[in-house]
């Protein structure tokens, strides 16, 4: 894993560029686990898959599990993005569940709406809903603010800060409870050193996560990351117009 990260860092340093658009592990534009305030361009689509460790519920108890995910998110309008995710959890393998079903499946929808667009001295501000339907164990309603700036001619940053709430589950209770995902203050910074890559550092309200996204002309991306600073994960995505 260390060698892979070193190689990707080298690729990042060799290029020039400034785009930061990517897909997080919950199927919405953002960093690693957290969303940012930006949305997909209208008529654009991300399709991706990841493997990583995340918190899930087993018999009402929050535990850590390997997760396989498949995701799609689409820009329907310059202000609106919709995302969806399906996931399979490994935690119940060999457990007391039905032996014919080693993986516990989950699916949910996301939505993000831009309230104010970014300007020279004004950040972009959006609201979002995570895990709107399905088991809703990752449900969160959040407000997020993002601002981009250059520190050097070829280095661009995106600073993200947001706050997530359980207000939706108070109105519409999650049947199995939640893992308290995005409850509280979250934030991070993305640093774009080239058109070939982005370095992400974030706080997701529970853990610090770090990662690198290597890209090819904004059409294909490879995500390498470490969640909780101890669990390695990886993902692949493609981006195209509809």
């Amino acid at each position: 894993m260390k060698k892979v990260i070193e190689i990707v860092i080298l690729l990042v340093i060799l290029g020039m560029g400034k785009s930061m658009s990517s897909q997080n592990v919950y199927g919405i534009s953002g960093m690693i686990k957290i969303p940012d305030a930006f949305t997909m361009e209208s008529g654009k689509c991300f399709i991706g898959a990841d493997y990583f460790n995340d918190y899930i519920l087993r018999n009402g108890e929050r535990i850590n599990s390997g997760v396989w995910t498949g995701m799609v998110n689409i820009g329907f309008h310059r202000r609106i993005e919709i995302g969806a995710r399906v996931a399979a959890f490994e935690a119940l393998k060999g457990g007391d569940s039905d032996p014919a079903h080693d993986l516990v499946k989950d699916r949910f929808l996301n939505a993000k709406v831009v309230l104010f667009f970014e300007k020279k001295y004004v950040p972009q501000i959006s609201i979002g809903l995570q895990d709107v339907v399905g088991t809703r164990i990752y449900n969160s309603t959040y407000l997020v603010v993002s601002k981009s700036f250059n520190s050097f001619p070829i280095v661009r940053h995106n600073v993200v800060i947001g706050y997530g709430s359980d207000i939706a589950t108070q109105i519409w209770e999650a049947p199995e409870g939640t893992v308290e995902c995005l409850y509280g203050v979250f934030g991070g910074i993305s640093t774009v050193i080239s058109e070939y890559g982005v370095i992400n550092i974030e706080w997701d309200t529970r853990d610090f996560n770090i990662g690198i996204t290597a890209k090819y002309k904004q059409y294909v991306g490879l995500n390498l990351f470490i969640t909780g600073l101890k669990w390695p994960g990886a993902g692949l995505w493609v981006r195209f117009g509809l």
Side-chain angles (χ1 to χ4, degrees):
M1 185 68 183
K2 181 180 178 183
K3 279 290 184 185
V4 173
I5 292 176
E6 288 175 350
I7 291 170
V8 176
I9 290 175
L10 179 60
L11 291 174
V12 168
I13 294 174
L14 290 177
M16 296 175 61
K18 58 184 180 181
S19 176
M20 297 183 215
S21 182
S22 192
Q23 182 187 53
N24 73 11
V25 297
Y26 296 120
I28 202 75
S29 56
M31 296 174 59
I32 302 170
K33 284 189 169 184
I34 70 172
D36 58 25
F38 300 109
T39 54
M40 290 283 297
E41 302 98 316
S42 179
K44 298 293 184 181
C45 178
F46 268 126
I47 294 179
D50 290 287
Y51 178 79
F52 64 105
N53 273 60
D54 203 0
Y55 298 103
I56 70 165
L57 290 179
R58 183 173 66 181
N59 300 324
E61 179 185 358
R62 192 176 79 175
I63 63 172
N64 197 272
S65 171
V67 184
W68 295 92
T69 66
M71 300 160 295
V72 58
N73 49 312
I74 300 172
F76 284 96
H77 183 274
R78 63 192 296 257
R79 287 186 181 271
I80 301 172
E81 180 181 332
I82 303 295
R85 185 185 89 152
V86 294
F89 305 124
E90 295 184 334
L92 296 189
K93 270 191 173 182
D96 55 4
S97 62
D98 183 344
H101 299 85
D102 284 339
L103 299 178
V104 179
K105 295 178 175 60
D106 183 45
R107 56 194 177 278
F108 63 72
L109 294 175
N110 302 307
K112 189 194 299 183
V113 178
V114 177
L115 299 179
F116 301 100
F117 286 106
E118 181 182 35
K119 297 181 181 178
K120 186 174 182 180
Y121 299 110
V122 178
Q124 184 142 321
I125 303 175
S126 297
I127 57 172
L129 294 171
Q130 180 171 285
D131 197 359
V132 180
V133 297
T135 63
R136 302 177 65 244
I137 64 172
Y138 297 98
N139 182 263
S140 175
T141 303
Y142 59 84
L143 177 74
V144 61
V145 178
S146 296
K147 186 72 181 79
S148 302
F149 64 94
N150 293 329
S151 59
F152 296 98
I154 65 169
V155 179
R156 189 165 179 80
H157 307 279
N158 175 29
V159 176
V160 178
I161 186 166
Y163 184 83
S165 168
D166 66 348
I167 185 172
T169 58
Q170 293 180 22
I171 299 170
W172 178 24
E173 185 177 355
E176 300 179 18
T178 75
V179 294
E180 300 183 0
C181 180
L182 282 186
Y183 286 4
V185 177
F186 61 88
I189 182 167
S190 294
T191 299
V192 180
I193 302 177
S194 80
E195 65 179 314
Y196 303 111
V198 181
I199 299 173
N200 296 308
I201 303 173
E202 67 175 30
W203 167 255
D204 67 10
T205 74
R206 298 175 301 194
D207 298 303
F208 283 103
N209 311 308
I210 60 173
I212 295 172
T213 297
K215 302 180 180 182
Y216 177 70
K217 294 185 177 180
Q218 311 304 317
Y219 300 125
V220 180
L222 172 66
N223 298 327
L224 298 173
F225 50 87
I226 301 174
T227 57
L229 301 182
K230 56 184 175 180
W231 297 297
L236 184 69
W237 53 261
V238 294
R239 178 178 179 271
F240 54 90
L242 297 175

